[in-house]
Amino acid sequence: MNENGNRILILVGSPKPLERSASARLGRIVGEALSAKGWQAETIRILDALKSDASVESVLSAVARSDVVLLTTPLYVDSIPAPAIGMLSAIADHRVGRDLEDRPRFASILNCGFAEAAQNGTAQRILEQFAARAGFAWAGGISVGSAGFVTKSVRDALDLLADALATGRNAPERAINRAAKNAIPGWLYRVLGNWMWKRQAKKNGVLDQLNARPYV
Amino acid sequence: MGRLPRVVHRALGRAGVGRPLFLGWFAASAVRYDACMKTNVLLLNGAGPVNELEDVESALINAFVDRDCETNALTLRGMSIAPCLGCFGCWVRMPGVCVIDDDGREVARQMIRSDVIVYLTPVVFGGYSPELKGALDRSIGLISPLFERSHRETHHKKRYEVYPRLLGIGVRQGPNEEEAAIFEMLVRRNAINLHAPRAVTRVVNPDAETPIIQDTIDNAVEEVLAG
Protein backbone atom coordinates (compact mmCIF):
# COMPACT_ATOMS: atom_id res chain seq x y z
CA MET A 1 0.00 0.00 0.00
CA ASN A 2 1.25 3.48 -0.91
CA GLU A 3 1.36 6.39 1.52
CA ASN A 4 -1.67 7.84 -0.19
CA GLY A 5 -3.71 4.66 -0.21
CA ASN A 6 -3.98 1.84 -2.70
CA ARG A 7 -3.72 2.63 -6.39
CA ILE A 8 -4.71 0.81 -9.53
CA LEU A 9 -3.37 1.78 -12.94
CA ILE A 10 -5.69 0.78 -15.78
CA LEU A 11 -3.94 0.54 -19.14
CA VAL A 12 -6.32 0.47 -22.09
CA GLY A 13 -4.98 -1.35 -25.15
CA SER A 14 -7.75 -0.39 -27.54
CA PRO A 15 -6.90 2.29 -30.10
CA LYS A 16 -10.45 3.62 -29.92
CA PRO A 17 -11.32 6.72 -27.89
CA LEU A 18 -12.00 5.73 -24.28
CA GLU A 19 -15.67 6.70 -24.47
CA ARG A 20 -16.25 4.30 -27.40
CA SER A 21 -14.03 1.46 -26.27
CA ALA A 22 -15.44 -1.81 -24.92
CA SER A 23 -12.06 -2.49 -23.30
CA ALA A 24 -12.15 0.84 -21.48
CA ARG A 25 -15.70 0.15 -20.31
CA LEU A 26 -14.69 -3.21 -18.83
CA GLY A 27 -11.73 -1.61 -17.05
CA ARG A 28 -13.86 1.26 -15.81
CA ILE A 29 -16.21 -1.14 -14.03
CA VAL A 30 -13.28 -2.59 -12.07
CA GLY A 31 -11.85 0.88 -11.42
CA GLU A 32 -15.17 2.16 -10.09
CA ALA A 33 -15.59 -0.88 -7.85
CA LEU A 34 -12.15 -0.31 -6.37
CA SER A 35 -12.75 3.44 -6.04
CA ALA A 36 -15.80 2.61 -3.96
CA LYS A 37 -13.44 0.73 -1.65
CA GLY A 38 -11.19 3.75 -1.27
CA TRP A 39 -8.68 3.01 -4.04
CA GLN A 40 -7.34 5.60 -6.42
CA ALA A 41 -7.82 4.58 -10.04
CA GLU A 42 -5.87 6.05 -12.95
CA THR A 43 -6.67 5.20 -16.57
CA ILE A 44 -4.24 5.60 -19.47
CA ARG A 45 -4.91 4.83 -23.13
CA ILE A 46 -1.75 3.20 -24.41
CA LEU A 47 -1.91 4.83 -27.85
CA ASP A 48 -1.95 8.28 -26.16
CA ALA A 49 0.96 7.28 -23.94
CA LEU A 50 3.09 6.43 -26.96
CA LYS A 51 2.88 9.93 -28.42
CA SER A 52 6.03 11.23 -26.74
CA ASP A 53 8.99 10.12 -24.69
CA ALA A 54 7.61 12.09 -21.76
CA SER A 55 4.26 10.32 -21.86
CA VAL A 56 5.97 6.92 -21.92
CA GLU A 57 8.01 8.00 -18.91
CA SER A 58 4.81 9.03 -17.16
CA VAL A 59 3.45 5.51 -17.63
CA LEU A 60 6.62 4.03 -16.16
CA SER A 61 6.23 6.34 -13.16
CA ALA A 62 2.55 5.46 -12.82
CA VAL A 63 3.44 1.76 -12.82
CA ALA A 64 6.01 2.35 -10.08
CA ARG A 65 3.47 3.98 -7.76
CA SER A 66 0.70 1.43 -8.36
CA ASP A 67 -0.28 -1.57 -6.30
CA VAL A 68 -2.12 -3.15 -9.20
CA VAL A 69 -1.66 -2.69 -12.95
CA LEU A 70 -4.66 -3.82 -14.99
CA LEU A 71 -4.40 -4.18 -18.76
CA THR A 72 -7.76 -4.18 -20.50
CA THR A 73 -7.51 -4.75 -24.21
CA PRO A 74 -9.17 -6.23 -27.27
CA LEU A 75 -7.81 -9.33 -28.95
CA TYR A 76 -6.12 -8.51 -32.25
CA VAL A 77 -4.96 -11.41 -34.41
CA ASP A 78 -4.89 -13.82 -31.44
CA SER A 79 -2.75 -11.51 -29.34
CA ILE A 80 -2.78 -8.00 -27.94
CA PRO A 81 -2.54 -4.98 -30.29
CA ALA A 82 0.93 -3.95 -31.45
CA PRO A 83 1.04 -0.70 -29.40
CA ALA A 84 0.25 -2.68 -26.25
CA ILE A 85 3.15 -5.06 -26.98
CA GLY A 86 5.38 -2.03 -27.43
CA MET A 87 4.29 -0.51 -24.14
CA LEU A 88 4.65 -3.77 -22.21
CA SER A 89 8.11 -4.22 -23.72
CA ALA A 90 9.06 -0.73 -22.53
CA ILE A 91 7.75 -1.49 -19.04
CA ALA A 92 9.60 -4.80 -18.90
CA ASP A 93 12.85 -3.30 -20.18
CA HIS A 94 12.58 -0.52 -17.62
CA ARG A 95 12.10 -2.93 -14.74
CA VAL A 96 14.39 -5.83 -15.64
CA GLY A 97 17.76 -5.69 -13.97
CA ARG A 98 16.79 -2.96 -11.52
CA ASP A 99 16.78 -3.52 -7.82
CA LEU A 100 13.09 -2.75 -7.48
CA GLU A 101 11.53 -2.86 -4.06
CA ASP A 102 8.03 -2.79 -5.44
CA ARG A 103 6.36 -5.84 -6.91
CA PRO A 104 2.97 -4.64 -8.15
CA ARG A 105 0.36 -7.15 -9.17
CA PHE A 106 -0.63 -7.42 -12.80
CA ALA A 107 -4.07 -8.51 -14.00
CA SER A 108 -5.76 -8.51 -17.37
CA ILE A 109 -9.14 -8.27 -19.02
CA LEU A 110 -9.21 -9.45 -22.62
CA ASN A 111 -12.19 -9.22 -24.93
CA CYS A 112 -12.56 -10.67 -28.40
CA GLY A 113 -14.95 -10.25 -31.30
CA PHE A 114 -15.80 -13.93 -31.37
CA ALA A 115 -18.54 -15.64 -29.42
CA GLU A 116 -16.07 -17.73 -27.45
CA ALA A 117 -14.09 -16.10 -24.64
CA ALA A 118 -11.64 -19.00 -24.83
CA GLN A 119 -10.15 -17.51 -27.99
CA ASN A 120 -8.34 -15.04 -25.72
CA GLY A 121 -6.38 -17.91 -24.18
CA THR A 122 -3.12 -17.50 -26.10
CA ALA A 123 -3.00 -13.78 -25.36
CA GLN A 124 -3.58 -14.44 -21.65
CA ARG A 125 -0.58 -16.76 -21.65
CA ILE A 126 1.50 -14.02 -23.30
CA LEU A 127 0.47 -11.57 -20.58
CA GLU A 128 1.38 -14.05 -17.85
CA GLN A 129 4.85 -14.32 -19.40
CA PHE A 130 5.10 -10.54 -19.46
CA ALA A 131 4.21 -10.36 -15.77
CA ALA A 132 6.91 -12.86 -14.88
CA ARG A 133 9.51 -11.15 -17.05
CA ALA A 134 8.76 -7.65 -15.75
CA GLY A 135 8.73 -8.60 -12.07
CA PHE A 136 5.01 -8.36 -11.45
CA ALA A 137 2.98 -10.80 -9.40
CA TRP A 138 0.51 -12.34 -11.85
CA ALA A 139 -2.99 -11.82 -10.49
CA GLY A 140 -4.80 -13.62 -13.29
CA GLY A 141 -6.83 -12.71 -16.31
CA ILE A 142 -10.49 -12.47 -17.23
CA SER A 143 -11.51 -13.36 -20.79
CA VAL A 144 -14.71 -12.01 -22.33
CA GLY A 145 -16.23 -12.98 -25.69
CA SER A 146 -19.00 -11.39 -27.75
CA ALA A 147 -17.07 -8.16 -28.42
CA GLY A 148 -16.87 -7.31 -24.74
CA PHE A 149 -20.61 -7.01 -24.29
CA VAL A 150 -21.33 -6.47 -20.58
CA THR A 151 -23.87 -9.07 -19.55
CA LYS A 152 -24.87 -9.74 -15.95
CA SER A 153 -22.35 -12.59 -15.89
CA VAL A 154 -19.57 -10.31 -17.08
CA ARG A 155 -20.48 -7.63 -14.56
CA ASP A 156 -20.49 -10.23 -11.78
CA ALA A 157 -17.08 -11.42 -12.95
CA LEU A 158 -15.67 -7.89 -12.91
CA ASP A 159 -17.04 -7.26 -9.41
CA LEU A 160 -15.46 -10.51 -8.25
CA LEU A 161 -12.18 -9.47 -9.86
CA ALA A 162 -12.31 -6.09 -8.11
CA ASP A 163 -13.00 -7.77 -4.76
CA ALA A 164 -10.07 -10.10 -5.30
CA LEU A 165 -7.68 -7.33 -6.28
CA ALA A 166 -8.77 -5.24 -3.28
CA THR A 167 -7.95 -8.05 -0.90
CA GLY A 168 -4.69 -9.18 -2.48
CA ARG A 169 -6.11 -12.30 -4.09
CA ASN A 170 -5.85 -13.52 -7.67
CA ALA A 171 -8.78 -13.49 -10.08
CA PRO A 172 -11.00 -16.23 -8.67
CA GLU A 173 -11.98 -19.21 -10.77
CA ARG A 174 -15.62 -18.21 -10.42
CA ALA A 175 -14.92 -14.82 -11.98
CA ILE A 176 -13.06 -16.40 -14.88
CA ASN A 177 -15.91 -18.83 -15.49
CA ARG A 178 -18.62 -16.17 -15.18
CA ALA A 179 -16.84 -13.90 -17.66
CA ALA A 180 -16.38 -16.74 -20.13
CA LYS A 181 -20.09 -17.59 -20.20
CA ASN A 182 -21.44 -16.98 -23.72
CA ALA A 183 -23.71 -13.95 -23.91
CA ILE A 184 -25.76 -15.76 -26.54
CA PRO A 185 -25.36 -19.13 -28.30
CA GLY A 186 -22.57 -19.22 -30.85
CA TRP A 187 -24.91 -19.79 -33.80
CA LEU A 188 -27.01 -16.78 -32.85
CA TYR A 189 -23.91 -14.63 -32.40
CA ARG A 190 -22.83 -15.54 -35.93
CA VAL A 191 -26.27 -14.80 -37.39
CA LEU A 192 -26.58 -11.45 -35.62
CA GLY A 193 -22.95 -10.58 -36.33
CA ASN A 194 -23.33 -11.23 -40.05
CA TRP A 195 -26.51 -9.16 -40.10
CA MET A 196 -24.66 -6.31 -38.35
CA TRP A 197 -21.70 -6.38 -40.77
CA LYS A 198 -24.03 -6.30 -43.77
CA ARG A 199 -26.03 -3.48 -42.23
CA GLN A 200 -22.89 -1.41 -41.72
CA ALA A 201 -21.67 -2.12 -45.25
CA LYS A 202 -25.08 -1.16 -46.64
CA LYS A 203 -25.03 2.07 -44.65
CA ASN A 204 -21.65 2.85 -46.24
CA GLY A 205 -22.89 1.94 -49.72
CA VAL A 206 -20.53 -1.03 -50.13
CA LEU A 207 -22.79 -4.01 -49.45
CA ASP A 208 -22.24 -5.35 -52.96
CA GLN A 209 -18.46 -5.15 -52.39
CA LEU A 210 -18.43 -6.91 -49.03
CA ASN A 211 -16.65 -9.93 -50.53
CA ALA A 212 -14.42 -7.92 -52.87
CA ARG A 213 -10.96 -9.28 -53.69
CA PRO A 214 -8.97 -6.12 -54.40
CA TYR A 215 -5.57 -7.80 -54.45
CA VAL A 216 -6.09 -10.46 -57.10
CA MET B 1 15.29 10.32 -22.08
CA GLY B 2 16.43 6.73 -22.14
CA ARG B 3 16.57 4.31 -25.00
CA LEU B 4 13.36 2.48 -24.34
CA PRO B 5 10.73 5.02 -25.34
CA ARG B 6 12.44 5.48 -28.67
CA VAL B 7 12.38 1.74 -29.08
CA VAL B 8 8.65 1.83 -28.66
CA HIS B 9 8.21 4.67 -31.09
CA ARG B 10 10.34 3.03 -33.68
CA ALA B 11 8.47 -0.19 -33.17
CA LEU B 12 5.31 1.59 -34.15
CA GLY B 13 6.80 2.91 -37.31
CA ARG B 14 6.51 6.52 -36.22
CA ALA B 15 9.89 7.39 -37.61
CA GLY B 16 8.64 6.67 -41.08
CA VAL B 17 5.41 8.60 -40.83
CA GLY B 18 5.10 11.22 -43.51
CA ARG B 19 7.61 9.57 -45.78
CA PRO B 20 6.40 9.18 -49.36
CA LEU B 21 4.95 5.72 -49.62
CA PHE B 22 7.42 3.97 -51.81
CA LEU B 23 10.43 6.28 -51.75
CA GLY B 24 13.38 4.33 -50.55
CA TRP B 25 11.20 1.45 -49.67
CA PHE B 26 12.64 -1.05 -52.07
CA ALA B 27 16.12 0.20 -51.31
CA ALA B 28 15.75 0.09 -47.55
CA SER B 29 13.27 -2.62 -46.85
CA ALA B 30 12.91 -5.03 -49.66
CA VAL B 31 15.41 -7.37 -51.17
CA ARG B 32 14.35 -9.37 -54.15
CA TYR B 33 16.15 -12.59 -54.82
CA ASP B 34 16.04 -13.93 -58.31
CA ALA B 35 15.01 -17.49 -58.64
CA CYS B 36 12.55 -19.38 -60.70
CA MET B 37 8.89 -18.42 -60.32
CA LYS B 38 7.66 -21.63 -58.73
CA THR B 39 6.88 -20.53 -55.19
CA ASN B 40 6.51 -16.95 -53.96
CA VAL B 41 7.76 -16.47 -50.43
CA LEU B 42 7.17 -13.30 -48.43
CA LEU B 43 9.48 -12.96 -45.46
CA LEU B 44 8.25 -10.46 -42.86
CA ASN B 45 11.21 -9.50 -40.74
CA GLY B 46 9.95 -8.22 -37.39
CA ALA B 47 13.35 -7.21 -36.01
CA GLY B 48 13.59 -4.37 -33.51
CA PRO B 49 16.13 -1.53 -33.48
CA VAL B 50 18.97 -3.97 -32.95
CA ASN B 51 18.63 -6.34 -35.87
CA GLU B 52 19.07 -9.56 -33.96
CA LEU B 53 17.56 -11.60 -36.78
CA GLU B 54 20.16 -11.15 -39.52
CA ASP B 55 21.75 -14.59 -39.28
CA VAL B 56 18.42 -16.38 -39.18
CA GLU B 57 17.09 -14.28 -42.05
CA SER B 58 20.13 -15.26 -44.11
CA ALA B 59 19.55 -18.91 -43.28
CA LEU B 60 15.92 -18.60 -44.38
CA ILE B 61 16.81 -16.92 -47.65
CA ASN B 62 19.45 -19.56 -48.36
CA ALA B 63 16.95 -22.31 -47.67
CA PHE B 64 14.27 -20.89 -49.94
CA VAL B 65 16.65 -19.96 -52.75
CA ASP B 66 18.14 -23.46 -52.64
CA ARG B 67 14.62 -24.75 -53.29
CA ASP B 68 14.01 -22.49 -56.29
CA CYS B 69 11.64 -20.12 -54.50
CA GLU B 70 11.30 -16.44 -55.22
CA THR B 71 11.83 -14.72 -51.88
CA ASN B 72 10.88 -11.17 -51.03
CA ALA B 73 12.08 -9.97 -47.63
CA LEU B 74 10.54 -6.93 -45.95
CA THR B 75 12.18 -5.36 -42.92
CA LEU B 76 9.08 -3.95 -41.28
CA ARG B 77 10.85 -1.52 -38.98
CA GLY B 78 12.00 0.50 -41.96
CA MET B 79 8.49 0.86 -43.28
CA SER B 80 5.70 3.28 -42.50
CA ILE B 81 3.02 1.17 -40.85
CA ALA B 82 0.70 3.05 -38.52
CA PRO B 83 -1.13 1.14 -35.78
CA CYS B 84 -4.51 -0.37 -36.62
CA LEU B 85 -7.34 1.98 -35.59
CA GLY B 86 -9.78 -0.82 -34.81
CA CYS B 87 -12.33 0.91 -37.07
CA PHE B 88 -13.22 -2.14 -39.22
CA GLY B 89 -13.11 0.15 -42.25
CA CYS B 90 -11.26 -2.62 -44.12
CA TRP B 91 -14.45 -4.67 -43.75
CA VAL B 92 -17.34 -2.23 -44.08
CA ARG B 93 -16.02 0.96 -45.71
CA MET B 94 -13.38 -0.18 -48.23
CA PRO B 95 -13.81 -3.96 -48.16
CA GLY B 96 -10.43 -5.65 -48.39
CA VAL B 97 -8.33 -2.47 -48.15
CA CYS B 98 -7.21 -0.72 -44.95
CA VAL B 99 -8.40 2.86 -44.71
CA ILE B 100 -4.89 4.00 -43.71
CA ASP B 101 -2.88 4.77 -46.83
CA ASP B 102 0.63 3.70 -45.89
CA ASP B 103 2.97 0.70 -46.29
CA GLY B 104 0.57 -1.47 -44.27
CA ARG B 105 -1.59 -1.78 -47.38
CA GLU B 106 1.32 -2.99 -49.47
CA VAL B 107 2.31 -5.60 -46.89
CA ALA B 108 -1.24 -6.98 -46.89
CA ARG B 109 -1.30 -7.03 -50.69
CA GLN B 110 1.96 -8.96 -50.82
CA MET B 111 0.78 -11.35 -48.11
CA ILE B 112 -2.21 -12.58 -50.08
CA ARG B 113 -0.19 -12.84 -53.30
CA SER B 114 2.34 -15.16 -51.67
CA ASP B 115 2.42 -18.92 -51.47
CA VAL B 116 4.30 -18.89 -48.17
CA ILE B 117 4.56 -16.14 -45.56
CA VAL B 118 7.38 -16.24 -43.04
CA TYR B 119 6.83 -14.52 -39.71
CA LEU B 120 10.39 -13.88 -38.51
CA THR B 121 10.43 -12.27 -35.09
CA PRO B 122 12.15 -12.10 -31.76
CA VAL B 123 10.00 -14.00 -29.28
CA VAL B 124 8.42 -11.34 -27.07
CA PHE B 125 6.73 -12.89 -24.01
CA GLY B 126 5.95 -15.88 -26.24
CA GLY B 127 4.45 -13.71 -28.97
CA TYR B 128 5.55 -11.44 -31.79
CA SER B 129 7.51 -8.20 -31.81
CA PRO B 130 5.52 -4.94 -32.12
CA GLU B 131 7.03 -4.54 -35.59
CA LEU B 132 5.58 -7.79 -36.90
CA LYS B 133 2.36 -7.49 -34.95
CA GLY B 134 1.74 -3.99 -36.26
CA ALA B 135 1.76 -5.30 -39.82
CA LEU B 136 -0.46 -8.27 -38.98
CA ASP B 137 -2.99 -6.08 -37.15
CA ARG B 138 -3.35 -4.17 -40.41
CA SER B 139 -3.97 -7.30 -42.49
CA ILE B 140 -7.41 -8.38 -41.29
CA GLY B 141 -8.96 -7.07 -44.49
CA LEU B 142 -7.60 -10.22 -46.10
CA ILE B 143 -10.46 -12.14 -44.53
CA SER B 144 -14.19 -11.49 -44.64
CA PRO B 145 -16.04 -9.84 -41.76
CA LEU B 146 -18.71 -12.53 -42.06
CA PHE B 147 -18.67 -15.30 -39.49
CA GLU B 148 -18.73 -19.05 -39.89
CA ARG B 149 -18.27 -22.03 -37.62
CA SER B 150 -14.87 -23.61 -38.04
CA HIS B 151 -12.67 -25.71 -35.74
CA ARG B 152 -15.67 -25.79 -33.36
CA GLU B 153 -15.42 -22.02 -32.92
CA THR B 154 -16.54 -18.77 -34.51
CA HIS B 155 -14.14 -17.53 -37.18
CA HIS B 156 -14.26 -15.23 -40.17
CA LYS B 157 -14.95 -16.57 -43.65
CA LYS B 158 -12.44 -16.45 -46.47
CA ARG B 159 -12.29 -13.39 -48.68
CA TYR B 160 -9.89 -14.96 -51.17
CA GLU B 161 -9.99 -18.40 -52.67
CA VAL B 162 -6.44 -19.38 -51.76
CA TYR B 163 -4.35 -18.43 -48.76
CA PRO B 164 -0.62 -18.79 -48.15
CA ARG B 165 1.06 -21.27 -45.86
CA LEU B 166 2.63 -19.90 -42.69
CA LEU B 167 6.12 -20.42 -41.35
CA GLY B 168 6.67 -18.86 -37.92
CA ILE B 169 10.30 -18.49 -36.91
CA GLY B 170 10.83 -17.15 -33.40
CA VAL B 171 14.29 -16.10 -32.29
CA ARG B 172 15.06 -16.32 -28.61
CA GLN B 173 18.30 -16.44 -26.65
CA GLY B 174 18.24 -19.36 -24.26
CA PRO B 175 15.57 -21.99 -23.81
CA ASN B 176 12.10 -21.23 -22.46
CA GLU B 177 9.67 -24.07 -23.06
CA GLU B 178 6.60 -22.08 -22.09
CA GLU B 179 7.39 -19.21 -24.46
CA ALA B 180 8.18 -21.68 -27.24
CA ALA B 181 4.84 -23.43 -26.66
CA ILE B 182 2.97 -20.11 -26.68
CA PHE B 183 4.72 -19.09 -29.89
CA GLU B 184 3.74 -22.32 -31.59
CA MET B 185 0.16 -21.94 -30.40
CA LEU B 186 0.02 -18.34 -31.63
CA VAL B 187 1.17 -19.25 -35.14
CA ARG B 188 -1.33 -22.11 -35.27
CA ARG B 189 -4.16 -19.84 -34.12
CA ASN B 190 -3.13 -17.28 -36.76
CA ALA B 191 -3.19 -20.02 -39.37
CA ILE B 192 -6.78 -20.87 -38.49
CA ASN B 193 -7.89 -17.26 -38.77
CA LEU B 194 -5.94 -16.64 -41.99
CA HIS B 195 -7.17 -19.91 -43.52
CA ALA B 196 -3.55 -20.99 -44.03
CA PRO B 197 -3.49 -24.56 -45.28
CA ARG B 198 -0.32 -25.33 -43.32
CA ALA B 199 1.56 -23.82 -40.38
CA VAL B 200 5.07 -24.70 -39.28
CA THR B 201 6.94 -23.14 -36.37
CA ARG B 202 10.44 -23.21 -34.93
CA VAL B 203 12.11 -21.27 -32.13
CA VAL B 204 15.78 -20.68 -32.91
CA ASN B 205 18.60 -19.71 -30.56
CA PRO B 206 20.62 -17.01 -32.37
CA ASP B 207 23.72 -17.95 -30.36
CA ALA B 208 23.77 -21.46 -31.83
CA GLU B 209 26.45 -22.28 -34.38
CA THR B 210 25.61 -21.31 -37.95
CA PRO B 211 25.33 -24.90 -39.27
CA ILE B 212 22.87 -25.73 -36.50
CA ILE B 213 20.73 -22.68 -37.31
CA GLN B 214 20.84 -23.52 -41.02
CA ASP B 215 19.89 -27.13 -40.33
CA THR B 216 16.91 -26.08 -38.21
CA ILE B 217 15.76 -23.60 -40.84
CA ASP B 218 16.27 -26.06 -43.72
CA ASN B 219 14.14 -28.57 -41.88
CA ALA B 220 11.36 -26.02 -41.27
CA VAL B 221 11.40 -24.78 -44.87
CA GLU B 222 11.26 -28.34 -46.15
CA GLU B 223 8.24 -28.97 -43.95
CA VAL B 224 6.31 -25.88 -45.00
CA LEU B 225 6.96 -26.50 -48.69
CA ALA B 226 6.15 -30.21 -48.59
CA GLY B 227 3.13 -31.58 -50.41
Side-chain angles (χ1 to χ4, degrees):
Chain A
M1 183 169 165
N2 286 290
E3 288 175 5
N4 301 319
N6 288 305
R7 303 177 71 107
I8 181 169
L9 172 63
I10 301 170
L11 295 175
V12 180
S14 170
K16 292 181 181 174
L18 292 179
E19 62 275 12
R20 290 199 289 114
S21 160
S23 301
R25 185 167 64 248
L26 294 166
R28 192 159 51 241
I29 291 170
V30 174
E32 287 172 355
L34 285 170
S35 294
K37 298 174 191 295
W39 283 53
Q40 292 183 52
E42 181 180 5
T43 300
I44 296 175
R45 179 174 169 256
I46 287 176
L47 210 52
D48 292 334
L50 292 170
K51 283 181 177 168
S52 72
D53 290 348
S55 56
V56 173
E57 287 290 336
S58 72
V59 172
L60 300 177
S61 300
V63 168
R65 61 176 180 264
S66 297
D67 301 282
V68 172
V69 176
L70 174 68
L71 175 69
T72 178
T73 184
L75 187 76
Y76 277 17
V77 195
D78 300 298
S79 180
I80 61 176
I85 301 173
M87 179 56 81
L88 295 190
S89 297
I91 292 171
D93 288 349
H94 178 73
R95 294 176 60 83
V96 168
R98 295 195 178 200
D99 188 18
L100 298 168
E101 290 181 8
D102 64 311
R103 186 170 159 80
R105 296 160 70 226
F106 181 83
S108 63
I109 305 171
L110 277 160
N111 71 90
C112 67
F114 299 116
E116 307 85 10
Q119 296 209 39
N120 295 297
T122 310
Q124 291 286 15
R125 290 174 70 185
I126 288 171
L127 294 178
E128 187 172 359
Q129 291 300 304
F130 157 75
R133 170 85 178 145
F136 291 91
W138 173 242
I142 297 276
S143 292
V144 180
S146 303
F149 188 69
V150 181
T151 60
K152 183 175 183 308
S153 291
V154 170
R155 181 169 278 280
D156 290 348
L158 297 174
D159 287 342
L160 287 167
L161 174 64
D163 283 345
L165 294 175
T167 52
R169 293 176 291 121
N170 287 358
E173 203 63 32
R174 185 155 174 262
I176 294 168
N177 293 337
R178 291 287 285 165
K181 189 179 173 191
N182 278 8
I184 53 176
W187 68 266
L188 184 57
Y189 182 86
R190 291 187 287 275
V191 168
L192 292 175
N194 289 346
W195 173 78
M196 181 205 70
W197 291 124
K198 288 176 182 174
R199 186 165 165 264
Q200 288 190 33
K202 187 176 180 182
K203 188 178 161 192
N204 294 325
V206 295
L207 181 58
D208 59 338
Q209 299 163 46
L210 199 60
N211 297 311
R213 295 173 176 173
Y215 295 142
V216 292
Chain B
M1 190 56 58
R3 176 179 63 86
L4 297 173
R6 283 197 297 275
V7 169
V8 175
H9 294 161
R10 286 170 183 166
L12 295 170
R14 290 170 62 90
V17 172
R19 192 160 46 93
L21 182 58
F22 293 111
L23 278 183
W25 178 51
F26 283 102
S29 306
V31 182
R32 186 166 288 279
Y33 296 86
D34 290 328
C36 76
M37 298 291 286
K38 286 181 183 172
T39 302
N40 286 309
V41 177
L42 177 65
L43 193 160
L44 299 179
N45 182 335
V50 179
N51 190 352
E52 64 276 59
L53 308 179
E54 274 180 347
D55 292 347
V56 181
E57 183 185 36
S58 296
L60 278 160
I61 289 166
N62 289 339
F64 281 114
V65 170
D66 286 350
R67 289 161 180 81
D68 289 339
C69 299
E70 182 175 308
T71 306
N72 186 20
L74 301 181
T75 301
L76 299 167
R77 206 179 87 77
M79 302 175 73
S80 176
I81 302 175
C84 173
L85 298 171
C87 68
F88 301 122
C90 59
W91 281 343
V92 295
R93 284 173 57 199
M94 299 169 61
V97 179
C98 179
V99 299
I100 305 171
D101 186 4
D102 66 6
D103 292 349
R105 281 187 183 172
E106 180 59 18
V107 173
R109 189 183 71 85
Q110 293 202 30
M111 284 174 71
I112 198 62
R113 291 186 166 197
S114 302
D115 301 303
V116 176
I117 307 174
V118 183
Y119 294 171
L120 173 61
T121 175
V123 177
V124 180
F125 316 128
Y128 305 147
S129 67
E131 288 83 357
L132 175 61
K133 189 61 177 27
L136 300 183
D137 288 351
R138 293 280 305 282
S139 72
I140 64 165
L142 297 178
I143 53 176
S144 166
L146 300 178
F147 291 121
E148 65 178 2
R149 181 174 161 82
S150 167
H151 296 78
R152 299 183 177 182
E153 294 173 327
T154 302
H155 290 285
H156 293 280
K157 291 182 178 181
K158 288 182 175 182
R159 176 180 299 282
Y160 293 91
E161 202 167 321
V162 180
Y163 284 81
R165 300 175 180 194
L166 287 189
L167 173 57
I169 300 293
V171 175
R172 190 189 193 287
Q173 286 181 315
N176 183 314
E177 286 184 14
E178 176 65 8
E179 286 200 3
I182 294 169
F183 185 79
E184 181 176 356
M185 175 65 74
L186 180 57
V187 175
R188 293 196 183 286
R189 295 293 303 177
N190 285 176
I192 292 171
N193 284 311
L194 193 62
H195 300 278
R198 178 170 298 174
V200 175
T201 62
R202 295 288 189 280
V203 174
V204 178
N205 182 352
D207 296 333
E209 292 180 16
T210 303
I212 293 175
I213 293 176
Q214 189 66 61
D215 191 50
T216 303
I217 295 299
D218 280 341
N219 179 275
V221 167
E222 200 68 48
E223 191 177 333
V224 81
L225 292 176

